[in-house]
Amino acid sequence: MTDLRALAEATPDSRDRYVDLLRALSIVTVVLGHFFIALINWPDGGAIDLNNAVGYQSGLWLATWVLQVMPIFFFVGGFSNLVGWRSTRRAGGGYWAFVRTRMQRLMRPTAVFVGVWLVVVMVLRFADLGGPGFLPFGPMWFLIVYSGVVCLSPLFAALHDRLGVYVPLTLILGVGAVDLARFSFAGRGIGWLNLALVWLAIHQIGFFYADCSLVRTGRRLWWAMVFAGLAVLVTLTNLIEFFDTLWYPRSMVGVDVEPISNMSPPGLAIVALGVWQVGGAMLLRRKAQAWLANVRIWTGVIAVNTMIMTLFLWHLTALLIAILVLHPLGLGQPTEPTASWWLQRPVWVVAPLVVLAPILVVFSRFERPRRAAPV
């Protein structure tokens, strides 16, 4: 903690601390959200399966309009990647120097995570112990997509410099075209194109924060982003009431009981979600920056960022271990959001965090050099 305090005190005034706060909050929200909404299904002699409570509890979908924060992470990624690319160019480096630097932070902890779990699975199979059923590889989709976005960042930085706002607008139009084809005649397969287009569009908005143009536009545009994003979300998620086809569900996370998901593949609903969330984040920026001037608070933000990939990769492992310990004791038995399930929510948030703490101590060392600041 002494090293972190020293880093906090040495942080230059030019650093945008709000970016680090948004990154930390987005991942922490994902982690706590996964712990909170899990419905555990572990029949006698069967495999562990997890369902999403959002699909079983009326009205809980509304919380996902705030707590599905992957758009914020990609927005922050856009900021960081543009800043990183320009810094690499100023230092005389090129494309591969940039990609190597950015990917090292992602790949080192990921390689350790995958390696450990491969060993665990092989040991279980060799000992004929079966498997835990639910395997905590859910975060891997995000890493694959984000890695692709990182590799494309220099190209889209050049497009940003030449075309500005036309780049995200074109990407969003592309998302709409893919959605229209998907719902009208082409089926779900074509929708996977939006796995790139949606996240590139939101990532591109982060470029406007990095070059300060989004800051200069001021509160009027930020409020417009909030209202426009929410208005589009309300419109899109009510289309199903008027058209006899599959359109956008109200939940912004995947729900087991719905035939389609707004996240898999993503579409215009996630773009609208990102627009309103970015506008809201910008509206909170000034107050948050004043708050982050406190050294103790800023030290905490640095602490989270120095282990953020480890936290993201291993949190479902911690949940699995908590299930293996607590479920046989009678906890986590409801397979629907009953009163008992709600009363147990504090236990199912705290217990995985307790398990996760030593995992972070052991594995976070692979994420960064000992004295590195958050990137």
Side-chain angles (χ1 to χ4, degrees), residues 62-83:
L62 188 57
T64 68
W65 289 27
V66 177
L67 301 179
Q68 170 51 283
V69 288
M70 271 296 126
I72 290 295
F73 188 91
F74 276 87
F75 167 70
V76 169
F79 176 100
S80 298
N81 287 327
L82 184 62
V83 171

Side-chain angles (χ1 to χ4, degrees), residues 78 81-86 89 98 149-164 167 200 203-204 207 211:
N81 287 327
L82 184 62
V83 171
W85 171 239
R86 289 179 172 176
R89 293 297 300 274
F98 166 79
V149 169
V150 169
C151 292
L152 290 171
S153 291
L155 168 62
F156 278 87
L159 292 173
H160 173 77
D161 291 338
R162 285 173 174 262
L163 302 173
V167 181
L200 281 169
H203 182 265
Q204 197 77 11
F207 287 4
D211 68 10

Side-chain angles (χ1 to χ4, degrees), residues 241-262:
E241 302 291 338
F242 304 101
F243 294 94
D244 186 21
T245 186
L246 297 177
W247 290 84
Y248 307 90
R250 291 188 173 92
S251 170
M252 296 298 115
V253 299
V255 174
D256 312 281
V257 297
E258 291 176 342
I260 62 171
S261 165
N262 279 319

Side-chain angles (χ1 to χ4, degrees), residues 130-155:
F134 158 68
L135 292 175
F137 293 120
M140 301 307 292
W141 78 264
F142 154 78
L143 291 174
I144 294 169
V145 174
Y146 188 71
S147 296
V149 169
V150 169
C151 292
L152 290 171
S153 291
L155 168 62

